[in-house]
Amino acid sequence: MSKNRKHVAEFLDNALTDCAQLTPEESYFSYKGVLYPTSICKQETLEALESFEARKDDVILAGYPKTGTNWLDHILNSLESTAAKYTDEQMKKRIALEKELEMTPRLEFGDPDKFKRMEKLPSRRVIITHLSPHSLPKSIFRNKAKVLVLIRNPKDTLVSYFHFCNNFFCFPNYKWDEYFSDFMNGKVGWGSYFDHVAEWDKYIEDENIVAISYEELKENLNLGLKKIAKFFGFSLTEEEIQSVAEKSSFKAMKEKGSETHGVYGDVFFRKGTVGDWKSLLSESQSQEMDRRFEESVAGTKIGAKLKYEVYCKV
Ligand code: A3P
């Protein structure tokens, strides 16, 4: 049976239709100094975040936009449902309940009452967010929920973000140089990439938090899946891991893109490679990024995990 969450595709399609009415200036709002896209986020929902009560067995993924969060969303849901061995009927019921409760693909998307409705979801809940630690509900840390932090090298993240913003008609049409400067200054949705990564570094020694990189998953997906499964306590056989890996390949996910992500499927699953930054960054932009990385995260443990020298130098 299909494990696709059609309500997710519907949510995205509706949000994108609604935002067609917005002017470029209305496309973002600022909350506590950080920009969020009006089409999918509401200030009241961000204000209500503290009413979310995390569970110890929640499966949480935190990743800055364009680091591969849709990929990991699929992976975590697949690992969870495979380990739990749901019957088709049970799976159908879980997805129907998510639809009935109007669940959205990210913790911070949607309406402020969703946090109360989330209490009705059965464990284990897979929760995805782009928020930085200081913006997350405190109950995540208080209740010791496990958080997988997804990181991706800044140059590819920027290029992916640029294409994404320019391919949605509801976001302003950026010129590349202008977008580069906005990204470097944190004037993009969910704020500064560098602040986000540097902030997660402070939590990296916490036993409930583990970081994984887009690049290591690209290098060896099976190994990455085993690492994720071990961290969250999912028990899967070699064959099951292999099956999740096959269904999570870029090709497999892109083919199902319109089914899972609506009319904009191709925008979510664009290229799926490492090193695409070389197609857009000028030499001086590349050097500016190198300097910024050096000043902000190069010396941190999470920064070392990004293998900047390997993925961000020619
Ligand atoms: P590109 O724009 O470089 O292709 P997010 O899901 O956080 O919005 O991140 C989007 C990025 O993840 C896009 O990168 C997208 O192509 C890539 N991606 C999505 N699914 C993937 C997969 N199965 N394997 C590899 N990359 C994937």
Side-chain angles (χ1 to χ4, degrees):
M1 70 158 283
S2 168
K3 291 182 183 166
N4 288 331
R5 289 162 162 79
K6 289 210 170 58
H7 57 280
V8 170
E10 277 163 25
F11 170 82
L12 295 169
D13 282 352
N14 289 340
L16 296 165
T17 308
D18 292 349
C19 76
Q21 332 294 334
L22 302 173
T23 63
E25 294 70 40
E26 291 166 338
S27 295
Y28 291 96
F29 67 92
S30 175
Y31 178 67
K32 295 190 177 173
V34 172
L35 295 179
Y36 295 92
T38 316
S39 53
I40 39 180
C41 293
K42 288 184 167 67
Q43 173 152 341
E44 308 88 80
T45 309
L46 298 172
E47 284 164 357
L49 269 167
E50 277 309 314
S51 64
F52 167 76
E53 190 62 19
R55 297 178 196 154
K56 193 172 167 30
D57 67 358
D58 280 341
V59 175
I60 301 179
L61 177 94
Y64 187 80
K66 310 320 293 173
T67 52
T69 50
N70 285 278
W71 187 18
L72 269 290
D73 187 343
H74 175 82
I75 286 174
L76 291 175
N77 274 293
S78 303
L79 292 174
E80 195 278 333
S81 58
T82 308
K85 303 199 180 344
Y86 300 124
T87 61
D88 282 358
E89 204 47 43
Q90 287 171 323
M91 197 64 212
K92 226 189 226 168
K93 271 196 186 151
R94 288 178 74 91
I95 294 178
L97 183 62
E98 286 178 19
K99 184 177 163 68
E100 187 190 318
L101 298 175
E102 294 176 48
M103 286 301 112
T104 55
R106 300 287 172 268
L107 180 65
E108 61 273 26
F109 290 2
D111 66 285
D113 296 330
K114 67 179 280 192
F115 304 120
K116 280 271 150 278
R117 300 197 300 277
M118 284 179 85
E119 291 169 12
K120 296 192 179 140
L121 288 173
S123 291
R124 297 180 75 179
R125 302 179 300 186
V126 175
I127 295 164
I128 317 288
T129 178
H130 296 310
L131 295 169
S132 303
H134 78 273
S135 307
L136 284 173
K138 305 278 176 295
S139 65
I140 291 181
F141 302 102
R142 193 175 58 238
N143 298 344
K144 302 192 186 311
K146 288 193 173 174
V147 183
L148 181 68
V149 179
L150 177 64
I151 50 175
R152 185 181 190 185
N153 82 68
K155 291 183 180 175
D156 281 336
T157 304
L158 156 63
V159 168
S160 181
Y161 217 166
F162 170 70
H163 287 297
F164 184 79
C165 289
N166 268 350
N167 281 313
F168 277 119
F169 57 83
C170 53
F171 290 124
N173 264 321
Y174 288 101
K175 303 265 183 299
W176 163 247
D177 288 345
E178 188 193 338
Y179 196 81
F180 176 83
S181 148
D182 282 354
F183 183 88
M184 297 302 282
N185 293 312
K187 288 190 187 159
V188 291
W190 284 270
S192 162
Y193 167 96
F194 304 99
D195 291 352
H196 181 98
V197 176
E199 207 191 319
W200 273 117
D201 186 65
K202 300 193 183 109
Y203 294 78
I204 212 67
E205 302 290 342
D206 187 325
E207 59 177 349
N208 295 312
I209 290 166
V210 150
I212 197 152
S213 73
Y214 179 95
E215 292 79 10
E216 72 179 284
L217 290 166
K218 284 294 291 184
E219 272 177 23
N220 191 336
L221 186 54
N222 284 46
L223 196 65
L225 294 185
K226 285 181 193 165
K227 187 174 162 181
I228 297 169
K230 187 167 180 229
F231 174 60
F232 285 114
F234 296 135
S235 177
L236 279 85
T237 62
E238 283 289 335
E239 292 71 33
E240 286 170 333
I241 290 282
Q242 180 59 27
S243 164
V244 173
E246 280 164 19
K247 289 180 189 142
S248 310
S249 72
F250 181 73
K251 187 170 172 290
M253 289 191 68
K254 192 175 175 74
E255 272 167 16
K256 287 202 160 204
S258 56
E259 216 179 295
T260 57
H261 287 70
V263 287
Y264 285 87
D266 270 353
V267 178
F268 284 96
F269 306 101
R270 189 185 65 93
K271 223 168 175 181
T273 56
V274 177
D276 193 35
W277 62 268
K278 290 171 195 154
S279 65
L280 269 178
L281 270 83
S282 68
E283 203 171 323
S284 69
Q285 287 169 335
S286 182
Q287 286 167 357
E288 189 179 332
M289 181 76 89
D290 296 348
R291 282 193 297 277
R292 188 61 189 280
F293 187 81
E294 191 58 39
E295 290 158 14
S296 55
V297 275
T300 65
K301 287 209 164 96
I302 204 164
K305 266 196 82 65
L306 280 165
K307 293 195 188 163
Y308 194 87
E309 292 297 316
V310 176
Y311 299 115
C312 288
K313 295 283 175 74
V314 191

